[in-house]
Amino acid sequence: MGFWRSVFSVKRDNRKALLLLLFFFIFYIAMNIPFLTYMEQNKAVLNQLSPFYGAPFTLNLFNFDPSLYYAPQSSVIHPLLNYLSTPLKQLAGLTFGNALFLGIQSMVNALGVVIMYYYLRKNNCGNVLALGTAAFYGASSYSIFTALIPDSYPYAVFVILLTVLYCQYCRLNDRLDTLPAALLLFLNFGITVTNVVTTAGALFFSTLGKGKQLLSKWIRIAIVSLLLVALFTMLQFFVFPGNSWITTWQQNIQAGGFSYVAPFSLQHHWKVIYTMIESPIVTPNLVMISDSIMAFVTNMSDPFPLYGHLIGAVIIGLTLLALVRGYASKEVRSLAVFPLVALLLHIVIGFGLGAFEYDMYLYAGHYLFAFFLLSAWFVHSLRGKARSILTGVIVICALITFTSNIVGHMKALESVKQIYHEAVPSGKSVE
């Protein structure tokens, strides 16, 4: 049975998945239209204060960058992103501008919620646990904000989730096909270069133990994926003259890589748990940390409400229990690759800690979903009343997150309005 046929094999699940898709697509658009309206109504003033070099998206939220408006620029961090950003930028300019990105990215993020649901149902999780976990993830602050901002993150997360779903297919069917695996490695590399590491790790642990043929299979996968990278890199020189990641890699690493690295200090960086796990789930209060670039970030001096800490504790606790209980499981090992690589990259190596105060919220897309899937894995691994109670906890967390983030998202906009009202030059006005 082919991959897509196996995904859509249960009609009842397909109907629920369609309802999830439509609900979250509409939800993300409805939540973010007020931000677009505010930018449109005040673009004359906001353009003067924006740090984004004239890009029509003028709000600097959580250090996200509307990079899709910078096409056809490329970088070693996002090597082949201009194949996506260039047509989208041109289409946005010809049509609806920021609203086009909101529509596309709302659909992309809603599809991510659907993938989470299908993944859990293929693991034989009950409908309540699968729907509750998928909705919990879909209601997260990160999913709402990344639907709004024209950056690479929603597309990167979608391809990662597609990779995770394919890894599950490999485990359940005891197979690894060369072209799909190579294509996923290529796509993950093209959007965000570090994702190729987690993709390779997830595929490796999903197929570990397949025997002597595994090595030759991986050699073929590596060759095909490298050929795809080489082909599209060569095409970059012709399609985007002077804008290949090969020609700018050293400059990009110095400007956008090493400058963000700092050694981890527990005393200084302990609140990173807020910006890497809690804030991306429960929308935090915002503060403007720099008026020169109008940077709105998590206000770490304003404590999270108790329920925010409890939700964070539930997700972290269930994830750790899954790692302990399922350390020998291919599935757990495959999912654990994502948070463990994030821990290595952002805490051990310290990527992002050099600009720690400007928020590390934006990195969460590379690993946050794994916390939800590992939590659901642990709950499903239990039996009887324990499973029922923890399923109820997941559903309650989803409902609290959903309600809190509706309020928190609007509060974030009010904070932006207030700060801009105080920051604008005299004689100007911001609605």
Side-chain angles (χ1 to χ4, degrees), residues 62 139-146 279-284 361 401 405:
F62 300 110
S140 67
S141 175
Y142 193 90
S143 296
I144 298 170
F145 273 107
T146 55
S279 292
I281 298 175
V282 180
T283 300
Y361 175 108
T401 301
N405 285 349

Side-chain angles (χ1 to χ4, degrees), residues 127-149:
N127 256 307
V128 175
L129 179 59
L131 286 169
T133 304
F136 188 9
Y137 171 78
S140 67
S141 175
Y142 193 90
S143 296
I144 298 170
F145 273 107
T146 55
L148 169 66
I149 305 164

Side-chain angles (χ1 to χ4, degrees), residues 349-428:
I349 296 175
F351 183 83
L353 292 180
F356 163 72
E357 66 274 14
Y358 286 90
D359 230 310
M360 296 180 70
Y361 175 108
L362 76 168
Y363 301 127
H366 300 288
Y367 56 84
L368 189 65
F369 69 91
F371 281 80
F372 290 90
L373 292 180
L374 285 167
S375 295
W377 182 93
F378 176 75
V379 173
H380 181 65
S381 72
L382 302 175
R383 294 291 182 270
K385 187 173 290 187
R387 180 194 286 183
S388 299
I389 291 172
L390 287 179
T391 297
V393 169
I394 292 289
V395 171
I396 290 169
C397 286
L399 292 172
I400 293 173
T401 301
F402 183 79
T403 305
S404 173
N405 285 349
I406 291 174
V407 176
H409 204 65
M410 294 303 100
K411 186 178 179 181
L413 179 56
E414 291 304 315
S415 297
V416 168
K417 289 180 178 180
Q418 180 62 34
I419 292 170
Y420 266 102
H421 182 74
E422 296 171 354
V424 294
S426 59
K428 303 287 186 179

Side-chain angles (χ1 to χ4, degrees), residues 248-268:
T248 59
W249 72 270
Q250 191 170 12
Q251 175 187 349
N252 293 147
I253 288 177
Q254 293 296 335
F258 292 149
S259 63
Y260 293 134
V261 175
F264 179 78
S265 163
L266 182 61
Q267 181 179 1
H268 183 61

Side-chain angles (χ1 to χ4, degrees), residues 135-304:
F136 188 9
Y137 171 78
S140 67
S141 175
Y142 193 90
S143 296
I144 298 170
F145 273 107
T146 55
L148 169 66
I149 305 164
D151 205 341
S152 62
Y153 289 90
Y155 309 95
V157 174
F158 173 74
V159 176
I160 291 171
L161 287 171
L162 196 59
T163 300
V164 169
L165 191 62
Y166 181 72
C167 287
Q168 181 190 55
Y169 171 76
C170 291
R171 289 193 302 272
L172 295 179
N173 294 278
D174 193 29
R175 63 185 299 173
L176 178 64
D177 296 322
T178 300
L179 187 58
L183 187 59
L184 287 169
L185 284 166
F186 163 71
L187 290 173
N188 278 283
F189 169 86
I191 297 176
T192 304
V193 66
T194 53
N195 289 347
V196 75
V197 176
T198 48
T199 298
L203 284 168
F204 174 77
F205 283 114
S206 293
T207 56
L208 191 62
K210 285 180 63 63
K212 297 179 180 179
Q213 293 183 341
L214 181 62
L215 179 60
S216 61
K217 178 79 73 172
W218 267 104
I219 291 173
R220 290 197 297 273
I221 290 170
I223 291 172
V224 174
S225 60
L226 288 172
L227 286 174
L228 286 170
V229 170
L231 173 62
F232 279 84
T233 299
M234 286 189 291
L235 285 174
Q236 262 188 331
F237 285 97
F238 300 100
V239 179
F240 312 104
N243 282 291
S244 170
W245 67 277
I246 292 290
T247 60
T248 59
W249 72 270
Q250 191 170 12
Q251 175 187 349
N252 293 147
I253 288 177
Q254 293 296 335
F258 292 149
S259 63
Y260 293 134
V261 175
F264 179 78
S265 163
L266 182 61
Q267 181 179 1
H268 183 61
H269 297 124
W270 69 272
K271 286 188 177 180
V272 74
I273 192 172
Y274 293 169
T275 58
M276 292 189 71
I277 299 177
E278 288 189 14
S279 292
I281 298 175
V282 180
T283 300
N285 293 319
L286 297 187
V287 63
M288 187 181 71
I289 197 171
S290 170
D291 58 6
S292 64
I293 58 173
M294 300 301 290
F296 295 91
V297 300
T298 298
N299 187 351
M300 288 184 286
S301 65
D302 189 359
F304 267 87

